[in-house]
Amino acid sequence: MTKNVAQLMGDLESIGRDPLRGGYSRPGFGTHELTLLEWFVAEAESRGLDIERDRNGITWAWWDLPETATGSAADSGDKPNRAHAIATGSHLDSVPGGGAFDGPLGVASALASLDQLQEQERNGTLRRTRPLVIAVFPEEEGSRFGVACLGSRLITGAISPQRALALTDRDGSSFADAARAVGLNPEHMGADPARLSGLDAFLELHVEQGKFLGKDPLGPAVAVASSILGHGRWRFSFAGQGNHAGTTLMADRHDPMIAAAAFVVAVRDEVSAESGARGTVGRLEPIPGGTNVVASRVDVWLDVRHPDDVVTAGLVERLHHRATALADAEGCTVTMSEESMTGTVNFDGGLARGLLNSVERVAPGTQLLPSGAGHDAGILASVIPTGMIFTRNPTGISHAPEEYVEDADAQHGVDALTLALADLLTEELQN
Ligand code: GLV
Ligand code: MN
Ligand code: MN
């Protein structure tokens, strides 16, 4: 049975609701992400796709070539030839209290596009030269283990398995344990160039996370990505003297919370002075975190983004100096550690132009749009031609419950993805 994208998104409506903020909390390798993954597998299997879970926890759903495909990668043996595949997909995990669309829209749109493409193949208007595979990446947000795009970083070798496996979540569980709990073997994780070499392109449809398309409700509902802003995460640990809230005079304190609070303001000031930069402290943890306890330590997570990676490095260095001075002033200390850094990614120009041409046919006036948000597509771009399509979000808000997509715009996104995939899937093979 085929479903449109709104129906597919509707299937997910009740899964992983966040009781505190609203929206959804679906951390990587957690129950809700896994429930969504089970839904995806059932939907993909009902469309005749063959499911593989790779050694890094990425799920691949294959729409192999029909036996009759000519001049193509089709194979007469038992095993389908999966070379020269076109991949599409996204992720199913979310930030804490995130929107419904960041990730799942790309997966639901891929399934809805598949319905359209399968119908075209049945009625003879689509003659593929390549297989299609829908990929679902785990822990894209890094909201559980701290490093975003963990699946795509592992498969491309952008993170070593040793480092990834040692990451821990807020409860102290390691990524190795979480991987084992879902049936993966940590010893087998790591770069998988053989799998990636079978992919000729990856295309990710994603909800737009800024305000560009929403400004003109009558304009095109979709855009094509030009680039992803360089971004990184750093942890600052301010340490002081834990103590009693009642017996410790103000003058006697070495309170790391004061240094941390001043640092948050310093981030706002320092980053605002750097044109094009963004800096965020979205997470701060006092140890131990008691109302009547002067904290012993406060951990502060900093997210910094700028198109020029050298500017980002300079900004972070200045912030490190500011943190040291602020800690000194309170008789505290601070240590900084880099948790991740991904340079600015410019997407493959040829693929982006091809996407614009394809998408123009359903969305005249479609434009190229830089992304301020990170994506698995940005990690994969270092090894395969990669592109992205954005679907309008009228609120311009993301990583929050107010993120939104109208059903009609979601359908435009699917139609654009179908055209783009059809063009890629029917391209002559070059070898
Ligand atoms: C992920 O969406 C990010 O940009 O942090
Ligand atoms: Mn996303
Ligand atoms: Mn996100």
Side-chain angles (χ1 to χ4, degrees):
M1 190 193 74
T2 65
K3 291 183 190 169
N4 66 32
V5 63
Q7 290 168 320
L8 288 161
M9 289 300 295
D11 290 348
L12 312 181
E13 220 165 49
S14 62
I15 303 163
R17 286 224 175 244
D18 187 295
L20 200 61
R21 191 193 199 196
Y24 295 90
S25 289
R26 299 161 172 163
F29 293 91
T31 319
H32 299 309
E33 188 199 33
L34 291 176
T35 305
L36 263 61
L37 195 57
E38 280 165 17
W39 161 86
F40 168 73
V41 167
E43 289 293 333
E45 284 181 339
S46 77
R47 289 162 173 81
L49 304 198
D50 183 40
I51 307 293
E52 278 182 310
R53 188 129 197 249
D54 76 11
R55 50 195 171 85
N56 291 305
I58 303 166
T59 303
W60 304 88
W62 288 92
W63 184 35
D64 291 310
L65 285 167
E67 291 282 318
T68 50
T70 50
S72 73
D75 194 83
S76 49
D78 284 339
K79 249 180 130 196
N81 184 341
R82 290 177 172 171
H84 297 290
I86 301 301
T88 188
S90 193
H91 61 98
L92 293 170
D93 64 312
S94 78
V95 295
F101 300 90
D102 179 354
L105 184 67
V107 177
S109 297
L111 289 167
S113 263
L114 174 73
D115 285 342
Q116 295 182 337
L117 292 165
Q118 289 189 325
E119 175 56 27
Q120 289 173 16
E121 189 158 271
R122 271 192 298 274
N123 68 28
T125 55
L126 179 76
R127 291 179 197 284
R128 288 185 291 146
T129 54
R130 295 149 196 275
L132 175 72
V133 61
I134 304 179
V136 179
F137 292 89
E139 180 68 331
E140 189 273 348
E141 298 289 2
S143 46
R144 178 159 177 202
F145 292 103
V147 176
C149 302
L150 210 44
S152 53
R153 282 186 208 271
L154 278 164
I155 194 175
T156 56
I159 190 168
S160 72
Q162 293 75 15
R163 172 143 190 261
L165 292 166
L167 295 169
T168 50
D169 66 11
R170 288 167 207 237
D171 300 326
S173 304
S174 67
F175 176 59
D177 288 342
R180 255 184 234 107
V182 297
L184 296 167
N185 184 342
E187 283 168 30
H188 295 165
M189 289 184 144
D192 194 348
R195 183 173 285 278
L196 291 170
S197 69
L199 305 179
D200 277 2
F202 175 67
L203 196 48
E204 181 169 3
L205 179 145
H206 205 277
V207 62
E208 191 205 350
Q209 296 177 276
K211 293 180 172 163
F212 184 79
L213 293 170
K215 276 191 240 153
D216 182 3
L218 300 177
V222 293
V224 171
S226 55
S227 60
I228 295 184
L229 193 62
H231 56 284
R233 298 180 183 187
W234 291 263
R235 183 198 304 219
F236 289 77
S237 284
F238 292 89
Q241 178 57 61
N243 218 327
H244 193 287
T247 60
T248 320
L249 298 180
M250 299 311 279
D252 292 343
R253 294 185 183 206
H254 303 291
D255 184 349
M257 185 58 89
I258 304 302
F263 178 64
V264 174
V265 178
V267 168
R268 197 267 312 268
D269 294 346
E270 209 53 71
V271 177
S272 302
E274 187 69 67
S275 167
R278 294 119 211 231
T280 307
V281 175
R283 183 178 167 199
L284 182 150
E285 271 176 24
I287 315 292
T291 306
N292 55 352
V293 180
V294 175
S296 299
R297 196 178 92 212
V298 177
D299 290 338
V300 175
W301 282 263
L302 172 70
D303 177 309
V304 175
R305 308 188 188 211
H306 190 277
D308 183 338
D309 304 333
V310 175
V311 172
T312 302
L315 193 47
V316 172
E317 197 181 319
R318 289 204 296 287
L319 286 169
H320 190 193
H321 283 129
R322 292 283 297 264
T324 305
L326 292 164
D328 269 358
E330 294 300 324
C332 297
T333 57
V334 65
T335 55
M336 179 186 87
S337 52
E338 180 178 296
E339 299 206 324
S340 62
M341 173 62 206
T342 308
T344 288
V345 171
N346 291 305
F347 283 118
D348 184 281
L351 182 55
R353 278 191 298 282
L355 287 176
L356 274 179
N357 284 336
S358 308
V359 171
E360 267 282 326
R361 309 207 296 272
V362 280
T366 299
Q367 292 182 48
L368 283 173
L369 188 64
S371 171
H375 304 282
D376 290 306
I379 304 295
L380 294 172
S382 63
V383 284
I384 43 174
T386 297
M388 291 190 75
I389 293 174
F390 293 121
T391 300
R392 173 162 47 217
N393 167 8
T395 68
I397 292 173
S398 189
H399 284 186
E402 293 81 3
E403 179 185 272
Y404 188 61
V405 175
E406 300 278 0
D407 288 354
D409 286 350
Q411 188 56 48
H412 276 116
V414 170
D415 295 342
L417 182 64
T418 301
L419 280 171
L421 288 174
D423 287 347
L424 290 167
L425 289 166
T426 53
E427 259 180 14
E428 290 293 321
L429 294 176
Q430 297 291 307
N431 50 2

